[in-house]
Amino acid sequence: MSDNPRRRRTIARHGQLETPSSLSQLLKFIAIGLAVVLVSGFGVGVYIAYDFSSTVAANAVDLEGQEVVPPDIGEYESGFNLVLTGVDTCEEKYKDLFGDRCTGGDAEGTLNDVNLLVHVSQEPRRITVVSFPRDLMLPIPECTDDEGNVHSAMSKQPLNTAYTDGGLNCVVKTISELTGQEVQFAASVTFGGVIEITNAIGGVDVCLANPIKDRYTGLDMAAGTHTVEGLQALQFLRTRHGVGDGSDLGRIGNQQQYMSSLARKMISGEVLGNVPVMLKLANTALSNLEASTSLANNPMTLVQIALAVKSVPFEDIVFVQYPTGADYADPNKVVPNEEAAAALWDAIEANAQLQITHENNINDGVVVQEPTEPTAPTEEATPDPSATPENVVALPDSIKGNSAAQETCSNGNVR
């Protein structure tokens, strides 16, 4: 697929950029950054910055074609992008939890099964999190892995093979070429990382409209609201057979429910306003992070990212699935819906408020939860000039998603 230069994002060329981050990663970065800010006892802040630099920078990943990151993220005239990927690395400590994936015939290689592009706009700040299906068939470009080996381009492969082919750098390059978006930052998180992070954050509340019983992941949950952490949180994020139609697209909807809840918890003050939790999360993140050099070389970048997103209204934090269509060569795969994707990127480039028009059905991973109690009347707010009808875009109904202001519940089933 071509680079599509019309959609390449421009930045102020004060230097060169580097690259992205992963599933719980965005929230890890926010946590680490705010830990430095909130614990402004100078010694603690310096310790965190030093520990981050020494621990993470040693394993940082260079991204092809990236320039030096400018000293202030405000220099990105059209906002900035992070690529966040969740990889199924089988760490020794956790491999016995995952059966054949880590101990049987499926144990070869490492796949990038969760792939997110997080766009943070210029002022007024909006956050758009685009999830890409792992089974999305697309070109994989020529990539250089972290040992300097060059891997040839492939015309059509599943997205989740990019990490196996060339590591985090290759995931970033593949998503960048698909979307036409320049990526400034990136990171990945493992199975074990998700377990440890949700423990550090004190769990995430999720809602089930129906029970989930998935023998493939071992998840067994009754309908209702639950706080998931540790292994159960990972099972919840990995379940595919237990939600919707049992497809990866249904799983993405379920993951977005989790991320919406996590964003609300982080921004509401339960985490960002709690210094001990922030420190615990920061230290945990340091042990479970593979980051691009653009993040690892300057801990203050994390602070800037945290400050840029901490006050974004929930309605302007939007989670969408990258639009796809059927792959007629393989019913278990999907291909890009380029027309709908173009509408999405145009709306993001215009920094518009995104409206989801898709109405969820029984095949989707989540259902929208209607409020059970009327909200109390509030004082009339000053109109937001950025929310004029001229700057609100209704996305095509082929694009699924929700904002963090919406409550959704898993559309569970028993398999």
Side-chain angles (χ1 to χ4, degrees):
M1 193 167 292
S2 66
D3 281 352
N4 193 358
R6 184 177 73 85
R7 297 186 186 284
R8 287 281 178 192
R9 293 201 162 268
T10 58
I11 63 165
R13 297 291 183 184
H14 297 287
Q16 291 208 277
L17 330 165
E18 281 161 294
T19 331
S21 58
S22 170
L23 176 59
S24 300
Q25 263 12 62
L26 170 64
L27 296 159
K28 279 190 195 177
F29 296 152
I30 295 172
I32 297 170
L34 282 209
V36 179
V37 173
L38 294 173
V39 189
S40 278
F42 179 74
V44 177
V46 169
Y47 169 76
I48 293 174
Y50 171 79
D51 199 20
F52 179 86
S53 296
S54 60
T55 304
V56 179
N59 299 313
V61 175
D62 290 325
L63 302 170
E64 291 181 66
Q66 296 296 314
E67 303 177 354
V68 175
V69 174
D72 190 326
I73 61 172
E75 295 186 42
Y76 295 117
E77 294 177 346
S78 297
F80 56 89
N81 292 310
L82 310 92
V83 164
L84 318 170
T85 185
V87 296
D88 62 357
T89 305
C90 293
E91 303 108 312
E92 188 66 27
K93 180 178 178 181
Y94 307 100
K95 69 179 184 180
D96 292 339
L97 299 175
F98 305 114
D100 285 348
R101 173 62 197 94
C102 293
T103 58
D106 295 333
E108 294 296 321
T110 297
L111 302 173
N112 48 297
D113 276 347
V114 175
N115 302 280
L116 310 174
L117 185 146
V118 181
H119 177 73
V120 180
S121 75
Q122 72 271 42
E123 299 288 348
R125 294 290 189 192
R126 308 187 202 277
I127 301 172
T128 308
V129 182
V130 183
S131 296
F132 299 84
R134 66 172 191 171
D135 294 324
L136 178 64
M137 301 298 289
L138 76 175
I140 305 291
E142 179 183 282
C143 296
T144 303
D145 64 26
D146 56 7
E147 295 180 355
N149 301 313
V150 177
H151 298 259
S152 299
M154 294 176 285
S155 61
K156 188 180 181 183
Q157 291 291 320
L159 172 59
N160 74 335
T161 63
Y163 193 93
T164 302
D165 198 49
L168 178 60
N169 168 59
C170 199
V171 177
V172 171
K173 192 173 181 181
T174 300
I175 290 177
S176 181
E177 293 199 4
L178 169 68
T179 63
Q181 300 287 303
E182 289 192 57
V183 178
Q184 288 77 35
F185 308 102
S188 67
V189 64
T190 63
F191 281 170
V194 173
I195 290 173
E196 297 299 337
I197 292 162
T198 54
N199 286 340
I201 207 173
V204 175
D205 292 338
V206 296
C207 168
L208 276 65
N210 310 298
I212 294 177
K213 189 169 184 178
D214 179 4
R215 62 187 175 88
Y216 296 93
T217 61
L219 184 64
D220 188 352
M221 297 176 68
T225 300
H226 304 262
T227 300
V228 296
E229 58 185 313
L231 176 60
Q232 188 180 47
L234 181 62
Q235 291 170 325
F236 183 84
L237 290 167
R238 292 184 66 216
T239 187
R240 170 168 65 88
H241 300 279
V243 292
D245 60 1
S247 72
D248 186 51
L249 301 183
R251 168 163 50 193
I252 287 175
N254 199 52
Q255 291 170 345
Q256 289 177 336
Q257 186 220 154
Y258 175 96
M259 290 188 289
S260 291
S261 180
L262 181 55
R264 291 191 295 269
K265 181 171 185 175
M266 293 286 292
I267 293 175
S268 69
E270 290 182 60
V271 175
L272 297 186
N274 187 321
V275 172
V277 172
M278 291 289 297
L279 284 172
K280 182 179 179 182
L281 182 57
N283 287 331
T284 301
L286 294 175
S287 304
N288 295 281
L289 177 64
E290 177 190 37
S292 60
T293 51
S294 52
L295 283 172
N297 286 347
N298 182 7
M300 289 308 296
T301 299
L302 301 176
V303 177
Q304 292 177 14
I305 292 174
L307 294 175
V309 304
K310 72 182 181 70
S311 299
V312 176
F314 290 156
E315 60 267 25
D316 284 330
I317 304 174
V318 179
F319 302 87
V320 298
Q321 291 190 35
Y322 181 82
T324 61
D327 182 357
Y328 296 110
D330 185 341
N332 295 315
K333 306 295 183 184
V334 293
V335 295
N337 178 338
E338 296 182 1
E339 182 178 358
L344 172 63
W345 301 125
D346 285 345
I348 290 174
E349 187 171 345
N351 196 18
Q353 282 196 331
L354 305 183
Q355 285 188 346
I356 305 297
T357 63
H358 173 81
E359 294 187 4
N360 289 7
N361 56 52
I362 59 173
N363 292 322
D364 292 319
V366 293
V367 294
V368 176
Q369 177 79 355
E370 299 297 334
T372 55
E373 299 179 4
T375 55
T378 58
E379 295 183 14
E380 186 173 341
T382 303
D384 179 359
S386 68
T388 60
E390 293 77 17
N391 199 29
V392 176
V393 172
L395 296 175
D397 64 7
S398 56
I399 299 179
K400 303 176 183 180
N402 61 273
S403 76
Q406 291 177 292
E407 298 279 352
T408 59
C409 293
S410 300
N411 185 19
N413 58 46
V414 177
R415 292 177 186 263

